[in-house]
């Protein structure tokens, strides 16, 4: 009888391809906008808005730090949210989208005044980070409320990561192809021409990406059904947020996973934020940067199914080591052998690591949540804490790295709006693309060695949770 119930339960928890697709499409615009800001916001502030490196670094750091702080705050309010006809998480995503689109557009708008322009961008970047958090935290936590079956969640996560990498590709493609004309050498003798052109093309790109956000959110809303938490009796009172937070922060597997991918995500962020500057000023690839970025991301999109197969065959921890280690020699190669052919070879190879770094943490977090549920069977409704604080730590670290890297350019003598930069800036960009990411990746992988949830542990947790759910029915 128990086996029959388990089979029926498994059938009930299966997700249709349509549901997985709609869920995945909902996450794509986060990465479309995130890709555009990651690759182009720094050079936009420096060369288009023409803010000097110090206030630009303040905008980048404070904006990211503010976004990090809002993650646990939003997570707290989500845990207090009541169930509605469309779910507990869906109202957050649908409600914030129109305001998110407006704030994103004004982030790429150059105001008519020059004094206080850095305050304008700081305000809209903080507003954008707040609203993207109101979308991203519930969207990430939604994974746990699609199905209780680990394989179905892993499958939905693979769909999501494929579309998120595709979204990163689309964002870089739209932004890169539209704004590339503003960063070529042919305009250098005519600064007024490039200034006017750059402002127009950046606003056009922002409008297109805002439209994508509205369309994808609508598709997700119409195609995804959020399910209430199936664990624990209905009369069970949720543990207060602060107690749940203490329990989560004491959970070893969560701390290990978060610390490991914190360093790895900082490495990826350093490469992303400085890549366009690196191609433009350090290796004379300014006419190729948008195509190199597209090659990296196309390689990442194609390799997501491979990594999904690899993690199922060899385990998630092994996949993380194999995938992310692959990036290190190629970033160094791009710095040491800066020619066009090598750049495209490096782009294809680096895409494999980018895909692994995006897929693995979101595939491993649900396993950590399952492990926590077994260790704390009376704690309910704290999934948002796991996801919000994971994003908090990674965003805060990324903000520090962005601010520090921009300050390094200031100390090296970066000349805002110039066609060429002095040798110390070139050397600094090479360090920010090569040596620094390698050091962060090695640190992250050393921490990941301590991650305790092996494939055997995952299987035991799955069986134990199945029994727990059956007894609670």
């Amino acid at each position: 009888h128990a086996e029959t119930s388990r089979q029926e339960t498994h059938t009930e928890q299966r997700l249709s391809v349509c549901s997985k697709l709609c869920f995945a499409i909902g996450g794509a615009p986060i990465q479309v906008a995130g890709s555009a800001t990651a690759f182009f916001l720094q050079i936009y502030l420096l060369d288009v808005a023409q803010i000097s490196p110090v206030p630009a670094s303040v905008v980048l750091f404070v904006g990211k730090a503010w976004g990090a702080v809002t993650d646990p705050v939003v997570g707290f309010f989500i845990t207090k949210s009541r169930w509605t006809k469309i779910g507990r998480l869906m109202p957050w995503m649908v409600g914030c989208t129109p305001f998110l689109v407006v704030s994103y557009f004004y982030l790429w708008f150059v105001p008519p005044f020059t004094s206080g322009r850095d305050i304008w961008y700081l305000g809209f970047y903080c507003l954008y980070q707040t609203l993207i958090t109101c979308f991203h935290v519930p969207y990430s936590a939604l994974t746990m409320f699609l199905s209780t079956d680990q394989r179905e969640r892993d499958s939905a996560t693979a769909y999501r990561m494929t579309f998120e990498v595709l979204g990163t590709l689309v964002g870089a493609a739209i932004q890169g192809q539209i704004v590339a004309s503003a960063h070529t050498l042919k305009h250098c003798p005519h600064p007024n021409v490039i200034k006017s052109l750059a402002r127009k093309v950046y606003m056009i790109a922002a409008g297109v990406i805002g439209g994508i956000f509205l369309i994808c959110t609508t598709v997700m809303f119409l195609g995804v059904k959020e399910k209430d938490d199936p664990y624990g009796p209905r009369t069970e009172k949720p543990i207060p947020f602060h107690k749940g937070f203490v329990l989560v922060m004491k959970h070893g597997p969560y701390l290990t996973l978060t610390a490991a991918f914190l360093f790895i995500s900082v490495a990826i962020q350093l490469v992303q934020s400085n890549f366009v500057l690196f191609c433009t000023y350090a290796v004379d690839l300014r006419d190729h940067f948008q195509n190199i970025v597209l090659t990296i991301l196309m390689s990442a999109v194609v390799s997501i199914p491979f990594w999904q197969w690899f993690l199922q065959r060899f385990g998630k921890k092994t996949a993380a080591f194999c995938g992310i280690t692959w990036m290190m020699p190629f970033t160094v190669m791009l710095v040491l052998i800066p020619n066009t052919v090598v750049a495209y070879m490096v782009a294809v190879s680096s895409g494999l690591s980018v895909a692994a770094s995006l897929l693995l943490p979101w595939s491993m977090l649900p396993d950590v949540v399952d492990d926590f549920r077994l260790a704390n069977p009376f704690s309910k409704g704290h999934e948002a804490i796991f996801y919000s604080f994971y994003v908090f730590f990674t965003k805060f670290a990324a903000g520090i790295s962005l601010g520090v890297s921009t300050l390094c350019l200031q100390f090296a003598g970066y000349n805002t709006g110039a066609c060429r930069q002095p040798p110390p800036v070139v050397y600094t960009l090479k360090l920010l693309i090569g040596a620094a990411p390698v050091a962060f990746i090695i640190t992250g992988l050393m921490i990941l060695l301590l991650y305790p949830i092996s494939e055997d542990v995952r299987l035991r947790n799955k069986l134990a949770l199945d029994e727990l759910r059956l007894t609670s029915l």
Side-chain angles (χ1 to χ4, degrees), residues 180-322:
S181 59
H183 297 290
T184 57
L185 278 171
K186 64 183 181 181
H187 295 300
C188 278
H190 309 285
N192 291 331
V193 173
I194 189 172
K195 185 189 297 184
S196 175
L197 174 67
R199 293 180 179 186
K200 289 178 182 177
V201 294
Y202 271 97
M203 282 194 293
I204 290 170
V208 172
I209 291 173
I212 291 173
F213 225 115
L214 291 171
I215 293 169
C216 291
T217 303
T218 302
V219 170
M220 180 188 65
F221 172 69
L222 296 175
V224 175
K225 182 181 180 182
E226 180 184 345
K227 298 175 182 178
D228 201 2
D229 189 353
Y231 296 102
R234 294 289 179 183
T235 56
E236 180 183 341
K237 291 183 179 180
I239 292 176
F241 178 86
H242 67 280
K243 290 185 178 179
F245 168 76
V246 172
L247 287 173
V248 168
M249 291 302 124
K250 287 182 177 179
H251 195 60
Y254 177 68
L255 295 179
T256 304
L257 183 71
T258 301
F261 278 98
L262 182 150
F263 284 98
I264 292 165
S265 65
V266 166
I268 300 292
Q269 184 73 53
L270 273 176
V271 174
Q272 278 187 325
S273 60
N274 292 286
F275 189 77
V276 178
L277 287 168
F278 173 79
C279 289
T280 303
Y281 298 118
V283 291
D284 197 25
L285 292 170
R286 68 168 72 214
D287 293 330
H288 297 274
F289 74 80
Q290 71 273 26
N291 296 322
I292 295 171
V293 168
L294 289 182
T295 305
I296 294 171
L297 299 174
M298 286 174 67
S299 172
V301 171
V302 171
S303 60
I304 283 280
F306 165 76
W307 288 118
Q308 178 65 14
W309 167 83
F310 192 97
L311 68 85
Q312 290 178 346
R313 178 69 177 82
F314 299 102
K316 298 180 182 180
K317 190 173 177 179
T318 304
F321 273 94
C322 294

Side-chain angles (χ1 to χ4, degrees), residues 3 96 117 120 133 152 191 244 292 337 352 362 365 369 374 399 434:
E3 184 63 31
C96 75
R117 195 174 279 178
W120 169 279
T133 298
E152 289 298 306
I292 295 171
I337 316 172
L352 290 167
W362 298 111
L365 266 173
V369 176
L374 284 175

